[in-house]
Amino acid sequence: MAEVNRKIWRDGEFVAWQEATVHVFAQSLQRGSLAFDYMSVHQNAKGPAVFKLEAHVRRLINTCRILGLPLSYTESDLVDACAETVRRNPGAVSLKICALIASVEVELVPHDRTPSVFIAAYDSKTDIVAQHGGGGSFSPLLSLKVEREVGNRRPDILPPQAKVSANYTAPMFAKWKARDEGFDDIILLNEGGEVAEAPTSNIFIVDREGAIVTPPEDKVLLGITRESVLELADALGVEARVEDMRVEDLYSAAEVFLTATSVGVWPVIRIDDRRIGNGETGVITARLKAKLDAIARGDDTDFEHWLYYV
Ligand code: PMP
């Protein structure tokens, strides 16, 4: 196993990948209080670029604000630190920022409340999968299960807009079970039975009139890809609506796709025991995907401002 030769930003200093560790009793590990955000890095002809870097940093700051986690960095400190981390780690395709309480604690409420910030730029294939395994279950066309036992994140417990580790615990176990049943991922519903999102992506349908529809913002994590796709629909002349939808709307949709930083636009071809569309990537899904991929590659001058060249 080759040693991972990357540098991780930890509170203003770069440390070796192997040194970026916490104690088993670290408060965030024991209590699920780690706030994070995940970004994509594109190795383009003009150099490495982070997709919508500032928006991701603002979302991390918002997560910390929702939780009451007192970050000691400004937006511009964190944007600069992310850019420097990408510069220091050639060939990286992923960028992760975490704010966590690393102190060893006895009580539920930590005595030392200031979070430590870690920023890593890496390639999950070479730096994680090649070292530790995993990562082998990616399907280009998705098969989803509507999750009927575990509900989506509830605003009165932990708002879905907070990207905090505790918000992933219940969906993770539900997805684990669905994986064993042969599905790629699950769709989470709210208390009222409306469609919310998947554990780590937003959901869209294309209705019979060719409009894209996604659930409202109070129900979901405000995905950066979701917001980008809504804007791209407008640019492509595709009608876009943000409104509640029910499971029947999924079943009867012409196309369904998920959106997330890690995968962009991701076609869905089966939900429960029903085939969606003709079982292949739908026409509108394909157009949105092609547009988003071209922007990420730096091939679309209209949307070049979405890329932050480091
Ligand atoms: N919903 C949840 C709960 C997520 O964790 C993610 C991944 N960050 C998304 C949606 C998609 O967000 P984005 O497009 O910003 O990656």
Side-chain angles (χ1 to χ4, degrees):
M1 200 190 293
E3 199 165 85
V4 177
N5 186 22
R6 297 225 177 260
K7 296 274 181 273
I8 293 184
W9 190 94
R10 184 180 66 196
D11 287 326
E13 286 176 334
F14 281 96
V15 299
W17 174 273
Q18 293 76 9
E19 306 293 315
T21 56
V22 295
H23 192 271
V24 64
F25 286 162
Q27 200 268 356
S28 282
L29 180 59
Q30 295 287 333
R31 309 294 189 177
S33 59
L34 173 143
F36 68 104
D37 221 286
Y38 175 80
M39 293 160 259
S40 55
V41 183
H42 303 272
Q43 299 292 334
N44 291 342
K46 278 173 65 180
V50 182
F51 189 81
K52 292 198 170 178
L53 171 59
E54 294 100 328
H56 280 279
V57 166
R58 282 196 293 274
R59 188 169 66 182
L60 176 86
I61 291 172
N62 191 44
T63 294
C64 294
R65 191 189 54 75
I66 293 171
L67 299 170
L69 209 52
L71 258 188
S72 30
Y73 302 98
T74 64
E75 180 181 330
S76 80
D77 294 339
L78 294 176
V79 166
D80 291 349
C82 285
E84 185 56 22
T85 306
V86 173
R87 275 182 225 118
R88 293 274 193 121
N89 290 282
V93 292
S94 295
L95 179 63
K96 195 164 204 178
I97 179 166
C98 311
L100 61 105
I101 298 179
S103 58
V104 170
E105 298 286 345
V106 178
E107 279 196 84
L108 182 59
V109 175
H111 78 285
D112 180 358
R113 297 185 182 194
T114 310
S116 302
V117 175
F118 289 73
I119 305 172
Y122 57 101
D123 178 341
S124 55
K125 282 202 200 82
T126 53
D127 302 328
I128 299 179
V129 177
Q131 310 294 321
H132 307 281
S137 52
F138 178 87
S139 350
L141 301 170
L142 289 172
S143 158
L144 306 184
K145 172 189 167 185
V146 175
E147 173 55 50
R148 296 182 188 268
E149 284 170 25
V150 175
N152 195 35
R153 298 106 173 154
R154 260 174 50 189
D156 60 336
I157 299 176
L158 249 181
Q161 292 79 22
K163 209 161 160 46
V164 56
S165 56
N167 248 347
Y168 292 82
T169 310
M172 185 275 283
F173 283 109
K175 177 168 171 172
W176 186 336
K177 212 168 132 199
R179 278 278 172 88
D180 292 342
E181 294 164 19
F183 295 95
D184 297 308
D185 211 337
I186 56 175
I187 302 167
L188 296 156
L189 308 179
N190 297 318
E191 308 96 280
E194 297 102 9
V195 173
E197 60 187 324
T200 58
S201 32
N202 294 111
I203 190 161
F204 283 81
I205 64 167
V206 180
D207 72 11
R208 296 277 157 194
E209 278 71 51
I212 64 166
V213 188
T214 195
E217 16 234 66
D218 56 323
K219 308 263 164 59
V220 296
L221 182 86
L222 294 175
I224 309 288
T225 322
R226 171 186 179 277
E227 173 195 276
S228 305
V229 162
L230 288 170
E231 216 177 312
L232 291 183
D234 192 43
L236 292 174
V238 171
E239 188 193 335
R241 296 197 309 272
V242 172
E243 64 189 31
D244 281 326
M245 61 173 85
R246 317 227 15 128
V247 174
E248 303 78 70
D249 300 318
L250 295 176
Y251 289 156
S252 62
E255 303 174 26
V256 177
F257 60 90
L258 300 182
T259 61
T261 297
S262 49
V263 289
V265 170
W266 208 1
V268 175
I269 54 161
R270 186 161 76 101
I271 299 178
D272 295 334
D273 55 358
R274 326 245 176 152
R275 195 176 75 167
I276 302 298
N278 60 7
E280 288 168 22
T281 306
V283 176
I284 294 193
T285 306
R287 281 177 72 201
L288 289 163
K289 181 171 167 47
K291 182 87 175 161
L292 188 67
D293 291 349
I295 294 168
R297 282 196 307 271
D299 288 346
D300 190 321
T301 44
D302 290 348
F303 289 93
E304 211 169 17
H305 58 284
W306 286 4
L307 295 175
Y308 186 106
Y309 281 95
V310 304

